[in-house]
């Protein structure tokens, strides 16, 4: 049969690790780390675009949920900077 590609198992491991750290990192940093890590893991070479995406996407999600919808996100490590 078809074997599962190695990158699939690596992705699963990375995502499980990030999810395990999510409580500690907090929602915003977890989104940032995922947005930064996964494209690079999958071979994306436009590093500036990945960094811009990793910053803008979590900020947009934060603004939508916290400011527009009034839902609270766990701050995690960012709690230290209040």
């Amino acid at each position: 049969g078809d074997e599962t590609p190695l990158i699939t198992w690596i992705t699963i491991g990375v995502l499980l690790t990030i999810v395990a750290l999510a409580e500690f990192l907090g929602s915003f940093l977890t989104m940032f780390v995922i947005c930064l890590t996964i494209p690079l893991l999958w071979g994306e070479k436009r590093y500036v675009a990945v960094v811009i995406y990793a910053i803008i996407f979590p900020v947009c999600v934060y603004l939508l949920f916290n400011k527009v919808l009034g839902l609270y996100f766990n701050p995690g490590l960012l709690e230290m900077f209040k």
Side-chain angles (χ1 to χ4, degrees):
D2 293 331
E3 285 193 30
T4 304
L6 179 60
I7 192 65
T8 302
W9 296 113
I10 294 171
T11 301
I12 290 169
V14 167
L15 287 174
L16 287 175
T17 301
I18 294 169
V19 167
L21 294 171
E23 181 92 17
F24 173 72
L25 291 174
S27 302
F28 185 84
L29 288 179
T30 299
M31 283 187 282
F32 174 78
V33 170
I34 288 173
C35 290
L36 190 65
T37 305
I38 297 302
L40 298 176
L41 178 65
W42 289 350
E44 181 58 60
K45 300 291 185 218
R46 294 171 293 173
Y47 303 119
V48 173
V50 171
V51 170
I52 292 169
Y53 164 68
I55 293 169
I56 291 183
F57 180 77
V59 167
C60 289
V61 170
Y62 171 82
L63 291 174
L64 173 65
F65 281 87
N66 284 37
K67 302 302 180 187
V68 176
L69 299 175
L71 299 174
Y72 172 77
F73 276 2
N74 172 19
L77 281 177
L78 295 179
E79 184 79 46
M80 291 188 281
F81 299 103
K82 279 189 171 183

